[in-house]
Amino acid sequence: MDLDALTGCLASSACLVTQTTSGFIIGMLLFLVAVGLTLIFGVLKVVNFSHGAFYMFGAYFAMTAYQLSGSFALAMLCGAAGTAILGLIFERVFMSRVYGADVLMQLLVCYAFVLIFDDVVRMIWGPEFKSMGMPAAFQVAPLFIAGGVVPPYYLLLIGVALAAAMILGLGLARTRIGKVIRAAAHNPGMVSALGINTGLIYGGVFALGGMLAGLAGALAAPVRSLTPGMGFSVLIESFIVTVIGGMGSILGALIGAILIGMIRSFGSLGFPLFTEGLMYLFMVIVLVSRPTGLFGKEVA
Amino acid sequence: MTELQAEQGAPALDVAHAQPKTRRNRDLLIALAVFIVLALLPAVFGSKVLLDFVIRCAAYGLFATSLNLLVGYTGLISFGHGMFFGLGAYGFGLMMQKTGVAVPVAFVATLAITFFVALVIGAICVRLKEIYFAFVTLAFQMLIHSTILSWVSLTGGDQGLRGGIPRPSFLGIDLSNQLHLYVTSCALLVIGLFLMHRIAQSPFGYTLRMIRDNAMRASFIGIDVWRAKLTIFVLAALFASTGGIIMALFVSGAYPEFAYWTISGEGIFINMLGGVTTFLGPMVGTVLLLILNDTVTRLTDYHGLVLGIVILFFAIGLRKGLMDFAVEWYGQRRNGAGERG
């Protein structure tokens, strides 16, 4: 425990800016993963335990595309589109078979794919750590805000994540397809009876969730190292985020992700060894005081 | 056998409807017989590998069977049951390393610690429903794991409890002797399974099944659901802790992985593999998983790939654990409705 470091940082504007920014980028990446998770849970009522794998695939796809083409934009596109397709296939071929079954069976299918996907990545890209490297366009001098260092790439990352949150939120609230998705989450039988193909909606939502996780992975690829199994810690953290925010709530995922980002960022100063413990402690406190999360609704 | 059953000609149901006392005696005899067979194994096969295998089966089997008291019997899907496995291993290991008390004293003291920890954590967790219960247990598990990692001066952090666990002999039992450890592990396994079977077959066990099937109905007829769930949570924790103690004795140490959530994940997996509706399903699952792990690790580097495909076979192919599948198949073949419970 190192509380002096924490109080020292809180007193310095430079440190405050640096830590807040780093809290934000952790939070924004987590949000992109967690919002997919929460969407899939909200509509399909499936806890997608293999969601972290999509984050991992997004990162690897982006890295490969970047190495082949040298284009950052194409890398992001490949990361997002590749995982969307993967999500669609995964849902249609495997998950759709266990919808009626026990929750445990669904978890087991996902758990199986966590193991399988990690080994597939190991086969294709090798077991060692990889790095994509920062694209040339962002290899510029960092910005200084109130004495704190903020790399320009961080701003792009936060901007893209916020844009995704806005598009998703507005899309679900305002568009026709958004309304159909919400209706399917509420009463799939009725939606199906109205002549709408619910299988298509389920596949689409799963693909969308996979795409968001893949986008997060692609965005993280330049700043994090890539390794098989990288999806796992992200998965656990995004579970914490969705649970804190309330399963199925997009706003909850956003707030939860920022809170967890800040806990990680500032916690690593004050409690270097217990940073993870802080997150779990926070989760326990939230769940004990609000059993369905901050923005969760009691679902029967 | 009642006249009604005699008329129906359902010998498969005999056991469940036998007099409680004779049933207990029968269970006791079976337990004794199993223990004698296990204890005589080393005399027949002199292989150390086999003994090690059975000791590991005892540790994981107690853990997995106790988890099934929650998952299969009560419908409480705990993702954090492994915390009690880790707690048992660390509690026992630390007690032996730091205090130098006798083994039985450390054993009882570890169970006492587990009891209080489980009581506190359980009191918080069992209020929550389904998926939130799963996640809050997971959070507690990770909290304990993080504490083990960060409390370096006590637990050795990520290095684990090293330097070996002293195992002074007591009552003529010397646990540093592999044969003695083997027989002791077998005894703990058989006693643990016997006690858990008694719990599952008791009126309390049937109360648990009722809570699993319809908690609201149970509470309407006057059952204190919260208290019943808490009781089974604590009882299951004690057996999981015993599994952890066996593991600590076996490896002569304790490692953070024992308290990591993957232990809980494996426990759930073992249950699904073996089946959750039969009492011995988790034991079958344990043996299967350990054999599978050992062979797959020897044959290929892509251990997860093979294991994952096997899991898929069970989840999508059979849609149930092996014992469940076998019991159902047997029931259908006999053309009688197999009793679930």
Side-chain angles (χ1 to χ4, degrees):
Chain A
M1 211 192 298
D2 192 1
L3 286 177
D4 289 347
L6 185 60
T7 47
C9 180
L10 291 176
S12 132
S13 69
C15 181
L16 211 55
V17 168
T18 310
Q19 292 305 120
T20 309
T21 323
S22 97
F24 253 111
I25 71 149
I26 299 171
M28 284 300 134
L29 289 177
L30 274 182
F31 165 73
L32 286 177
V33 183
V35 78
L37 204 60
T38 213
L39 201 63
I40 290 170
F41 176 79
V43 179
L44 282 69
K45 306 287 180 276
V46 168
V47 178
N48 180 19
F49 215 68
S50 59
H51 202 62
F54 292 97
Y55 172 85
M56 171 177 72
F57 273 115
Y60 275 97
F61 288 161
M63 180 189 73
T64 305
Y66 184 68
Q67 281 167 353
L68 292 178
S69 70
S71 156
F72 177 70
L74 196 67
M76 294 299 109
L77 194 69
C78 278
T83 49
I85 295 167
L86 203 64
L88 187 67
I89 297 172
F90 178 57
E91 195 276 340
R92 284 292 90 192
V93 178
F94 296 102
M95 282 317 284
S96 56
R97 288 174 197 274
V98 283
Y99 280 152
D102 206 338
V103 181
L104 276 173
M105 283 302 160
Q106 299 172 346
L107 278 175
L108 216 55
V109 172
C110 292
Y111 183 59
F113 274 97
V114 171
L115 298 173
I116 292 173
F117 282 150
D118 277 1
D119 265 359
V120 166
V121 166
R122 200 164 306 165
M123 277 174 167
I124 300 176
W125 285 283
E128 62 279 356
F129 280 84
K130 301 254 176 193
S131 81
M132 172 172 150
M134 186 60 76
F138 295 99
Q139 288 176 354
V140 291
L143 305 169
F144 287 92
I145 301 172
V149 184
V150 181
Y153 185 72
Y154 283 16
L155 294 180
L156 172 92
L157 205 158
I158 294 171
V160 170
L162 281 179
M166 296 259 290
I167 293 170
L168 197 66
L170 287 177
L172 277 180
R174 301 276 165 82
T175 63
R176 192 187 117 78
I177 185 81
K179 283 173 189 161
V180 172
I181 289 175
R182 282 187 293 138
H186 196 66
N187 190 342
M190 180 59 82
V191 169
S192 177
L194 289 171
I196 293 166
N197 185 347
T198 44
L200 201 66
I201 293 179
Y202 284 179
V205 167
F206 213 98
L208 180 64
M211 188 188 82
L212 289 165
L215 179 66
L219 284 169
V223 287
R224 304 243 176 116
S225 53
L226 280 64
T227 160
M230 67 186 280
F232 215 81
S233 54
V234 171
L235 171 78
I236 295 288
E237 282 172 34
S238 50
F239 265 128
I240 301 178
V241 164
T242 46
V243 169
I244 287 175
M247 298 289 278
S249 161
I250 290 175
L251 180 67
L254 183 64
I255 309 262
I258 294 172
L259 283 172
I260 289 297
M262 293 304 162
I263 288 178
R264 281 202 75 99
S265 174
F266 285 98
S268 65
L269 289 175
F271 309 86
L273 284 170
F274 199 62
T275 317
E276 293 218 345
L278 284 182
M279 298 190 309
Y280 298 112
L281 198 60
F282 185 60
M283 172 173 166
V284 168
I285 294 170
V286 168
L287 276 186
V288 168
S289 51
R290 287 187 66 93
T292 52
L294 295 174
F295 295 88
K297 291 178 203 82
E298 183 73 38
V299 186
Chain B
M1 196 193 294
T2 62
E3 282 175 21
L4 185 66
Q5 279 157 15
E7 275 169 21
Q8 286 172 340
L13 297 179
D14 279 1
V15 177
H17 293 271
Q19 292 299 311
K21 194 161 181 200
T22 56
R23 202 169 68 202
R24 181 159 51 220
N25 289 340
R26 193 197 58 129
D27 287 354
L28 208 54
L29 279 178
I30 292 177
L32 209 62
V34 170
F35 174 70
I36 291 171
V37 169
L38 281 175
L40 288 179
L41 267 189
V44 185
F45 307 95
S47 131
K48 272 180 73 88
V49 181
L50 178 74
L51 300 196
D52 282 354
F53 181 77
V54 177
I55 298 174
R56 280 159 63 216
C57 280
Y60 285 118
L62 277 178
F63 168 63
T65 308
S66 71
L67 177 59
N68 192 35
L69 288 181
L70 299 178
V71 175
Y73 286 90
T74 323
L76 289 169
I77 300 172
S78 171
F79 272 6
H81 198 54
M83 68 182 134
F84 301 116
F85 187 82
L87 197 65
Y90 270 93
F92 184 78
L94 281 171
M95 200 92 66
M96 294 309 293
Q97 278 189 349
K98 307 264 172 184
T99 65
V101 291
V103 172
V105 176
F107 182 82
V108 173
T110 305
L111 290 188
I113 294 171
T114 308
F115 176 84
F116 285 111
V117 174
L119 198 63
V120 173
I121 293 180
I124 296 171
C125 292
V126 298
R127 287 180 193 283
L128 301 176
K129 274 187 217 156
E130 289 157 18
I131 205 76
Y132 290 97
F133 172 80
F135 282 119
V136 82
T137 48
L138 178 70
F140 271 113
Q141 162 113 54
M142 295 307 287
L143 197 57
I144 287 187
H145 180 253
S146 305
T147 310
I148 289 171
L149 283 187
S150 56
W151 198 344
V152 181
S153 59
L154 182 71
T155 61
D158 57 1
Q159 298 289 314
L161 276 188
R162 295 196 307 175
I165 293 175
R167 291 172 281 193
S169 35
F170 62 100
L171 305 172
I173 301 171
D174 173 20
L175 290 180
S176 49
N177 177 327
Q178 200 217 15
L179 201 61
H180 285 212
L181 177 62
Y182 170 79
V183 176
T184 310
S185 304
C186 291
L188 285 175
L189 173 67
V190 171
I191 294 170
L193 288 180
F194 174 75
L195 289 177
M196 283 193 268
H197 192 244
R198 295 305 321 153
I199 293 171
Q201 295 305 327
S202 69
F204 173 66
Y206 279 90
T207 306
L208 297 180
R209 292 175 183 77
M210 183 179 196
I211 290 173
R212 171 195 68 193
D213 294 337
N214 194 337
M216 194 177 281
R217 186 178 203 169
S219 91
F220 279 168
I221 63 165
I223 293 167
D224 188 339
V225 173
W226 181 75
R227 181 186 292 248
K229 281 181 174 176
L230 182 59
T231 308
I232 195 62
F233 190 88
V234 173
L235 285 174
L238 292 178
F239 291 106
S241 179
T242 308
I245 293 174
I246 296 177
M247 200 60 196
L249 280 168
F250 176 60
V251 299
S252 192
Y255 301 94
E257 296 83 61
F258 291 175
Y260 198 48
W261 79 269
T262 45
I263 289 279
S264 308
E266 255 176 30
I268 299 243
F269 173 40
I270 286 174
N271 276 313
M272 300 314 294
L273 203 61
V276 291
T277 59
T278 48
F279 180 75
L280 284 179
M283 254 347 273
V284 172
T286 305
V287 175
L288 274 180
L289 182 73
L290 287 184
I291 291 177
L292 200 66
N293 262 335
D294 291 356
T295 29
V296 170
T297 317
R298 212 169 39 238
L299 294 178
T300 165
D301 286 340
Y302 298 110
H303 168 235
L305 190 69
V306 179
L307 208 57
I309 291 170
V310 173
I311 299 175
L312 276 186
F313 169 74
F314 276 92
I316 292 181
L318 295 186
R319 278 174 168 255
K320 52 179 72 74
L322 197 62
M323 280 297 276
D324 293 352
F325 187 78
V327 166
E328 210 158 285
W329 179 78
Y330 185 73
Q332 274 170 3
R333 223 177 63 120
R334 292 192 58 102
N335 207 14
E339 194 189 30
R340 290 162 68 94

